[in-house]
Amino acid sequence: MNNGLRLICEYRNSFTTTIGCFVPAGAMYEMPEERGSVLFLEHLLFKRTKNKNKEQLENILQEIGGKVTAIAMRDIFIFYGTVLSCKVDKLIQLFADIILNGEICDKDVIQEKNIILHELCQIESNREKVVMDYLPSIAYQDTALGNSVYPETDIIKKFCTKNLIEFRNRLFQICCMTMISTGSINLKELQEIICKHFKCDVEDYKSIFGIFNKMQSYRESLEYRFSAAELRLRDDDNELGYVAIGLEGSSYKQREDHIALTVAKEIIGSWDKTCSGRNNNAPYIAHLAFNTDLCYMYKSFFHNWAQTTSIWGCYFVCDKLCLLHMIRALQKEWMKLCTTITEKEVCRAVNQCVTNNLTILDDPTNRFFDIVENVFRYGCYEPIEQRIAEYEKITVDKIREVSEKYIYDQSPVVIALGRIENLPDYPIIRNGLYLLRY
């Protein structure tokens, strides 16, 4: 658009439409004095504007029967809403008011501090969330990506409104935003609605274009150095050990490697005690866990950040005396990816990946996030048909090649907390990622 706002529209027959924006304004872009800004903004974005207070905004949402959500991440900030397709105009009008006239006051910040502190106390009881939040912080320590969305408690208590206003004014520029719509609204209709509510002429756009160029240059200059390190917090009051092991993966733009690592993740799979299947679980670790109580749950993951880096690995929860056996089972499976993986296992994982991608089409919210993920990290949208074709090209040789590149003889990042006295030392975990072959 003339004001620099990018529009992406997917027309589909649907009674509801999901519309939202993403901005490259995550925790990694916070200045030292602005730490915590993205978390406060997540809570305060829809609090009030210059024209409307909290009650008036809530009344608007009740009238249109919509629900809006803001999500803060390390590298991106997303806000979106889902409404009946006939109410899209009013939802975009609300977004325009929030973006152009959003207001932050001391009273709201002080009130939100207590809510955020309470939220952090609840997060501490969610061991998986704690471990997975520490994972990139340790893996990318001393880089911008090491900044967690959740800062230290002391920072939250001392947080001031001025820093949040500066953060918002610096990064929440219209020319940096991308608006995405998926539902029964076509691009022409969407453009007309945007032109009506986002009143910003070409001259205004030229004045902020320099800010956009500076931010773009700043993002390109950031380095994301992966550190092979570990963080352990032994807590004997807990009977279980919570562990995540990750390796540096491919970037989202290295498509062949990225697709292959996604298939490799599905080969390792996931399992917990609520899963059915008994002895018929396809992944070896799931089969072993059911028969031997090896772990309470495990979950392979492949997380992407900042367009150029990712972490591939596994999170698991074990009894204190099973950690060594779980590590060995995981090392064995990872080495199998590099050496003796079979065509049957690859075919099963490919089919699972295809099913996961097709399932996205049925949910407008998941569809919205799928488009965000593609556009933000890959630079353009890759159609489902093209992705399925790429998955079907994955062969046993490709899995071995990519696993050899990203898994074999690589140094991992390890995060562990709870009863972890039986967890092997880091050199032992590291040495299990190669084989002596003759």
Side-chain angles (χ1 to χ4, degrees):
M1 305 292 287
N2 286 338
N3 59 10
L5 180 69
R6 293 195 301 169
L7 297 184
I8 298 172
C9 182
E10 179 192 49
Y11 178 80
R12 51 189 294 177
N13 289 323
S14 174
F15 292 109
T16 61
T17 297
T18 298
I19 294 181
C21 289
F22 72 80
V23 194
M28 63 183 292
Y29 299 113
E30 295 173 339
M31 297 298 181
E33 65 275 9
E34 295 172 345
R35 284 292 288 128
S37 293
V38 71
L39 179 60
F40 274 89
L41 191 60
E42 179 186 66
H43 285 254
L44 296 173
L45 184 66
F46 296 102
K47 206 76 168 181
R48 69 175 70 243
T49 69
K50 295 175 183 177
N51 307 318
K52 298 179 180 65
N53 58 30
K54 180 183 176 182
E55 289 73 23
Q56 290 172 319
L57 292 175
E58 289 176 349
N59 288 335
I60 291 173
L61 287 173
Q62 288 178 3
E63 288 175 10
I64 65 178
K67 181 179 179 182
V68 293
T69 306
I71 301 175
M73 302 182 191
R74 288 176 185 257
D75 57 346
I76 189 175
F77 189 95
I78 303 171
F79 57 95
Y80 68 97
T82 301
V83 292
L84 294 173
S85 297
C86 59
K87 307 279 187 168
V88 167
D89 186 290
K90 291 186 177 180
L91 179 62
I92 294 179
Q93 184 179 6
L94 174 64
F95 283 165
D97 196 21
I98 292 292
I99 294 169
L100 300 176
N101 305 310
E103 191 174 54
I104 298 168
C105 64
D106 290 330
K107 179 184 175 181
D108 291 337
V109 171
I110 293 170
Q111 183 181 4
E112 214 63 32
K113 282 183 182 180
N114 295 325
I115 297 173
I116 290 174
L117 289 171
H118 178 66
E119 181 182 317
L120 289 179
C121 290
Q122 291 180 319
I123 290 174
E124 286 181 2
S125 62
N126 186 336
R127 305 297 184 185
E128 179 178 353
K129 196 162 187 175
V130 172
V131 169
M132 298 310 293
D133 187 62
Y134 272 118
L135 189 71
S137 295
I138 299 302
Y140 300 101
Q141 56 189 290
D142 296 327
T143 70
L145 198 51
N147 287 349
S148 170
V149 172
Y150 304 101
E152 294 81 359
T153 303
D154 189 53
I155 291 176
I156 294 174
K157 290 179 178 178
K158 295 179 180 179
F159 189 83
C160 63
T161 309
K162 177 186 174 183
N163 294 334
L164 179 54
I165 293 173
E166 289 176 354
F167 176 81
R168 176 177 175 138
N169 292 341
R170 181 166 56 88
L171 295 176
F172 271 67
Q173 301 289 341
I174 294 179
C175 64
C176 302
M177 295 184 180
T178 302
M179 180 172 285
I180 295 172
S181 168
T182 173
S184 56
I185 298 294
N186 61 43
L187 183 59
K188 185 177 180 180
E189 293 173 326
L190 184 62
Q191 285 177 312
E192 291 174 355
I193 297 172
I194 294 295
C195 290
K196 182 168 66 173
H197 299 301
F198 286 83
K199 296 178 180 178
C200 181
D201 59 31
V202 179
E203 293 303 318
D204 293 332
Y205 171 51
K206 288 178 180 177
S207 67
I208 60 177
F209 191 67
I211 299 174
F212 174 74
N213 287 335
K214 287 181 181 178
M215 291 173 59
Q216 196 72 14
S217 300
Y218 173 70
R219 292 189 196 102
E220 292 173 357
S221 66
L222 292 175
E223 295 181 2
Y224 313 108
R225 183 194 64 255
F226 183 88
S227 298
E230 68 171 351
L231 175 68
R232 300 187 185 212
L233 176 61
R234 179 171 171 176
D235 179 11
D236 288 350
D237 291 333
N238 202 314
E239 288 298 314
L240 303 176
Y242 306 85
V243 183
I245 303 177
L247 299 155
E248 185 176 19
S250 65
S251 73
Y252 210 82
K253 293 185 177 182
Q254 295 170 296
R255 292 305 288 166
E256 288 188 6
D257 290 355
H258 192 275
I259 291 289
L261 283 175
T262 303
V263 173
K265 176 183 77 81
E266 291 298 332
I267 292 174
I268 302 300
S270 59
W271 178 88
D272 62 49
K273 284 187 172 290
T274 63
C275 289
S276 58
R278 299 177 65 85
N279 284 323
N280 299 316
N281 290 293
Y284 172 76
I285 297 179
H287 182 83
L288 190 65
F290 174 80
N291 286 284
T292 64
D293 291 327
L294 178 66
C295 64
Y296 288 89
M297 65 85 66
Y298 81 95
K299 181 190 297 183
S300 295
F301 60 80
F302 188 20
H303 294 163
N304 296 268
W305 292 283
Q307 299 177 301
T308 58
T309 189
S310 64
I311 299 181
W312 184 96
C314 185
Y315 166 80
F316 56 88
V317 180
C318 286
D319 184 77
K320 58 184 179 181
L321 296 179
C322 294
L323 288 167
L324 175 60
H325 301 299
M326 181 63 191
I327 289 290
R328 286 176 175 170
L330 189 60
Q331 290 170 332
K332 181 179 177 181
E333 284 301 286
W334 284 2
M335 291 302 95
K336 185 179 177 183
L337 290 174
C338 306
T339 55
T340 58
I341 191 68
T342 64
E343 186 175 344
K344 181 180 179 180
E345 290 171 297
V346 173
C347 183
R348 175 190 65 80
V350 166
N351 290 335
Q352 186 67 49
C353 289
V354 170
T355 301
N356 293 341
N357 275 269
L358 292 176
T359 304
I360 292 171
L361 298 174
D362 297 329
D363 188 325
T365 302
N366 288 339
R367 189 74 175 131
F368 168 78
F369 280 104
D370 178 56
I371 297 172
V372 170
E373 180 86 2
N374 269 263
V375 173
F376 178 65
R377 305 201 190 284
Y378 188 39
C380 64
Y381 180 72
E382 187 178 37
I384 291 287
E385 296 81 4
Q386 185 176 333
R387 272 181 271 175
I388 291 175
E390 289 182 358
Y391 278 119
E392 291 175 345
K393 291 178 185 177
I394 297 298
T395 62
V396 172
D397 290 337
K398 184 62 180 179
I399 293 294
R400 289 174 186 158
E401 175 193 333
V402 172
S403 300
E404 186 90 17
K405 181 178 178 181
Y406 294 99
I407 302 173
Y408 190 84
D409 202 19
Q410 299 298 313
S411 297
V413 58
V414 179
I415 309 295
L417 60 88
R419 289 296 293 269
I420 55 173
E421 65 268 30
N422 195 41
L423 184 69
D425 292 336
Y426 184 87
I428 296 175
I429 297 175
R430 167 66 180 84
N431 291 341
L433 295 180
Y434 69 89
L435 299 170
L436 294 176
R437 293 179 283 184
Y438 299 93

